[in-house]
Amino acid sequence: MTAGYDETLAYLEGRYLAHDRLADAAGLTPERLDTLIEAGLTPGPSHVATFALTVEAVINGAHETTPKRVRYFHRDLVETVREADALARDVGPEPAVAALRERHDRAVAAEAGLAAGSPEHAALCERAWTHWRSGTHGVCLQRFDAASMIRKVLATERMQQALSAAAEGRPVDRADLADAAARYASVTGPFGPHERDGSTRARIYEPALALLARLQAEDQAPILTTAG
């Protein structure tokens, strides 16, 4: 299904900041913001929109303008950008990245309940940091922070496991599924109209809610017996 122009633009403008607006809100030049992104000190855009304009004139037909690309960033990043800029100026870009990564990894360990430095923790941190830098989690999270990222990822995995179990006829822990769905809902926001069909909300969360409803209905169904 193709998303409408107006509703998609309203979503982007209402929930995100364009590149120049983020730079201005953080008190930086657009060039400085790009430097921070390239250095890995702040996340990249969650969305990139390309705007093209065709103007038709009665006297000489249609004319296309040069397309304009606009990068959209999560609104939470204003303070993140300010902090990254100050830290980089204070200790230098590379030590600043190392400090931010260390803090990120501690937050991952705390939210995931993993021993810091364990193989499982290292793998999850690398995955989460990659998504942090790319701006991926800005697509769906209410807050752009490591704890929210991990809560969403782990809850999604638990819901997927429950859906797979149900599809294969294996028992499903309804309490665990309900908890996972609640955790997912606690940190995620609405997906845009342009991406909703392929989102975890449409593919996993909503089917998980449907499965919960079905399991609850089965639990409440009367037990039918046959008189002997």
Side-chain angles (χ1 to χ4, degrees):
M1 179 179 175
T2 301
Y5 179 92
D6 290 341
E7 61 176 340
T8 302
L9 181 58
Y11 172 82
L12 293 174
E13 292 288 345
R15 298 190 63 84
Y16 296 88
L17 290 174
H19 179 268
D20 58 343
R21 292 180 61 197
L22 174 60
D24 184 63
L28 305 178
T29 65
E31 293 76 18
R32 177 59 178 170
L33 176 56
D34 283 337
T35 296
L36 296 176
I37 294 171
E38 291 165 8
L41 283 158
T42 195
S46 296
H47 303 271
V48 180
T50 300
F51 296 91
L53 180 64
T54 300
V55 179
E56 294 188 10
V58 174
I59 59 172
N60 55 8
H63 303 270
E64 295 183 356
T65 65
T66 302
K68 178 181 180 181
R69 295 175 75 252
V70 178
R71 290 172 284 171
Y72 286 95
F73 297 77
H74 197 288
R75 288 178 174 268
D76 252 11
L77 295 183
V78 174
E79 190 56 40
T80 299
V81 170
R82 286 180 184 149
E83 180 186 22
D85 177 61
L87 187 60
R89 293 181 188 278
D90 185 36
V91 302
E94 291 186 8
V97 171
L100 292 174
R101 176 65 190 266
E102 181 181 2
R103 184 174 68 184
H104 170 274
D105 290 359
R106 287 199 306 269
V108 169
E111 181 63 33
L114 295 172
S118 66
E120 295 82 5
H121 175 241
L124 186 57
C125 284
E126 189 62 32
R127 176 182 171 191
W129 182 252
T130 297
H131 288 319
W132 184 88
R133 285 198 60 179
S134 68
T136 298
H137 285 285
V139 173
C140 58
L141 293 176
Q142 298 175 32
R143 299 294 310 274
F144 201 122
D145 57 49
S148 294
M149 293 183 205
I150 299 307
R151 178 170 290 204
K152 184 253 184 183
V153 167
L154 297 182
T156 300
E157 291 177 351
R158 288 164 61 195
M159 289 187 292
Q160 182 60 71
Q161 290 167 1
L163 291 169
S164 297
E168 296 167 6
R170 293 184 283 114
V172 175
D173 185 330
R174 183 156 64 88
D176 183 73
L177 178 56
D179 180 70
R183 285 175 175 272
Y184 178 93
S186 72
V187 294
T188 57
F191 287 82
H194 56 289
E195 64 204 356
R196 192 181 184 288
D197 289 348
S199 69
T200 53
R201 180 171 290 274
R203 294 184 297 103
I204 298 175
Y205 175 67
E206 290 177 355
L209 292 183
L211 174 59
L212 273 172
R214 178 167 65 81
L215 293 174
Q216 184 177 21
E218 290 174 355
D219 288 346
Q220 295 176 349
I223 298 176
L224 301 179
T225 60
T226 303

